């Protein structure tokens, strides 16, 4: 496995992680999956990391699955068909689980096209900022597959059923500005401002009460399967947990003293 398939740079409390296979538009093969997962694990284990930015090198965020990877190449005529659930379960599922359970907030900086599973990876981050020339492409229907890596869960929740079906069935490129207008992403910014915006957002999140932010992600994701009372009960459990944390004491003390809080929990 080549380490350079993923670049990982530290800026203050923010870990900037860059998919680095630009010659193949950062499309995912097994090595890139392993490198990204290992880098996310390292960020999760490092208590001094308080936010992550995920981006791509070159002109794409990522073209999704590498269609030249032998694992997904259709089997030759006469051979049993390839089991297309394998790559999804072996690589994309752990990646999406890792993103969704990261102990710090994660910002996607979408620097160019995101296609197929890469749309799910970007949308699986907490905040998505995209450059004006970036786009989102549900490429699956073009090759006879369904949206995966959580696409069928994320898309309708972000944009509603009608738009999710339109995007997934038609497989048209959705420009970043339109994605912002639909509420699919947090923000579309000028290309040359993208990294500065994403890093500033991540630095701001890094200074906030990390445990509360991560619990907020958990609560919002879990609420989708709950009724109102179930959501209130879950909030009660989380408030009980967070109310016993250093950051709550610090937040209230800072408010009373009219000073900036110094949040340290993770
Ligand atoms: O088991 C499972 O569950 C499998 C999991 C599947 C998840 C998925 O992600 S399925 C969807 C896979 N992705 C795609 O279908 C996207 C295919 N790519 C495109 O539609 C276009 O390339 C883009 C819209 C992303 C970019 O278009 P454009 O015009 O800017 O660039 P291009 O000329 O098409 O591509 C540039 C090169 O990258 C080209 O190679 P070449 O001709 O210069 O040697 C192209 O073949 C290569 N490339 C682009 N995407 C992929 C790729 N090579 C391998 N895999 C790709 N996904």
């Amino acid at each position: 496995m080549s380490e350079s398939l993923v670049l990982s740079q530290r800026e203050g409390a923010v870990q900037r992680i860059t998919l680095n296979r630009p010659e193949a538009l950062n499309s995912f093969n097994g090595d890139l999956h392993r490198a990204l997962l290992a880098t996310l694990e390292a960020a999760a284990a490092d208590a001094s990391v308080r936010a992550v930015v995920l981006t791509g090198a070159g002109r794409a965020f990522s073209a999704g699955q590498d269609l030249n990877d032998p694992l997904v190449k259709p089997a030759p005529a006469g051979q049993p068909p390839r089991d297309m659930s394998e790559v999804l379960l072996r690589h994309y599922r752990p990646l999406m689980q890792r993103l969704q359970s990261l102990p710090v907030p994660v910002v996607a900086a979408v620097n160019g096209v995101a296609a197929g599973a890469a749309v799910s990876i970007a949308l699986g981050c907490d905040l998505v900022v995209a450059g004006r020339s970036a786009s989102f492409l549900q490429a699956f229907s073009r090759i006879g597959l369904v949206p995966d890596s959580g696409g069928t869960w994320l898309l309708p929740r972000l944009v509603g059923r009608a738009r999710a079906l339109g995007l997934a069935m038609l497989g048209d490129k959705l420009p970043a500005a339109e994605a912002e207008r639909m509420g699919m992403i947090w923000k579309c910014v000028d290309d040359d401002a993208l990294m500065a915006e994403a890093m500033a957002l991540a630095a701001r999140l890094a200074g906030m009460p990390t445990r509360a932010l991560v619990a907020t992600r958990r609560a919002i994701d879990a609420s989708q399967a709950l009724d109102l009372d179930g959501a209130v009960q879950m909030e009660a459990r989380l408030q009980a947990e967070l109310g016993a944390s250093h950051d709550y004491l610090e937040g209230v003390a800072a408010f009373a003293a009219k000073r900036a809080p110094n949040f340290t929990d993770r």
Side-chain angles (χ1 to χ4, degrees):
M1 180 177 81
S2 162
E3 281 301 308
S4 63
L5 283 175
V6 169
L7 306 175
S8 190
Q9 292 161 275
R10 190 59 182 278
E11 290 178 38
V14 178
Q15 196 73 35
R16 174 169 160 179
I17 297 176
T18 307
L19 306 172
N20 189 36
R21 242 192 125 210
E23 69 287 357
L25 300 188
N26 303 317
S27 58
F28 278 82
N29 59 14
D31 284 344
L32 180 55
H33 270 293
R34 281 182 281 276
L36 178 57
L37 197 59
T39 308
L40 289 170
E41 294 294 356
D46 182 342
S48 64
V49 172
R50 294 179 60 85
V52 164
V53 168
L54 179 64
T55 192
R59 71 181 179 89
F61 177 73
S62 164
Q65 173 61 41
D66 181 345
L67 297 174
N68 294 319
D69 189 329
L71 286 175
V72 299
K73 277 227 155 151
Q79 303 270 315
R82 180 104 35 222
D83 179 353
M84 290 297 286
S85 68
E86 243 181 57
V87 169
L88 178 58
L89 295 175
R90 191 193 309 168
H91 290 303
Y92 290 100
R93 183 175 177 226
L95 175 57
M96 296 307 290
Q97 284 173 332
R98 183 66 280 188
L99 277 177
Q100 212 189 15
S101 64
L102 216 63
V104 296
V106 51
V107 176
V110 182
N111 53 300
V113 66
V119 181
S120 305
I121 292 167
L123 300 182
C125 296
D126 296 315
L127 299 182
V128 186
V129 189
R132 206 161 295 284
S133 69
S135 55
F136 298 84
L137 171 62
Q138 294 293 331
F140 305 92
S141 62
R142 295 184 176 196
I143 56 170
L145 297 176
V146 294
D148 73 13
S149 307
T152 58
W153 190 87
L154 289 159
L155 260 189
R157 282 169 171 77
L158 290 166
V159 299
R161 181 178 187 271
R163 283 172 167 152
L165 281 172
L167 292 169
M169 286 186 169
L170 298 173
D172 290 333
K173 252 190 200 176
L174 181 72
E178 191 66 5
E180 181 196 56
R181 204 186 57 74
M182 286 185 182
M184 192 171 106
I185 64 171
W186 177 245
K187 210 171 179 188
C188 167
V189 299
D190 288 339
D191 288 340
D192 55 7
L194 175 66
M195 273 326 295
E197 285 268 358
M199 291 301 290
L201 260 183
R204 186 173 152 203
L205 291 166
M208 295 177 72
T210 307
R211 277 177 66 184
L213 300 183
V214 170
T216 301
R217 173 207 296 148
R218 257 172 63 201
I220 286 187
D221 286 346
S223 73
Q224 310 287 338
L226 298 172
D227 61 15
L228 177 62
D229 190 53
V232 173
Q233 290 181 48
M234 178 184 54
E235 292 160 5
R237 285 194 297 277
L238 291 170
Q239 299 300 44
E241 215 178 276
L242 292 166
S245 71
H246 161 270
D247 278 355
Y248 175 64
L249 299 180
E250 169 62 10
V252 175
F255 175 77
K258 298 188 190 303
R259 62 168 171 82
N262 178 26
F263 294 117
T264 53
D265 283 340
R266 215 198 77 159

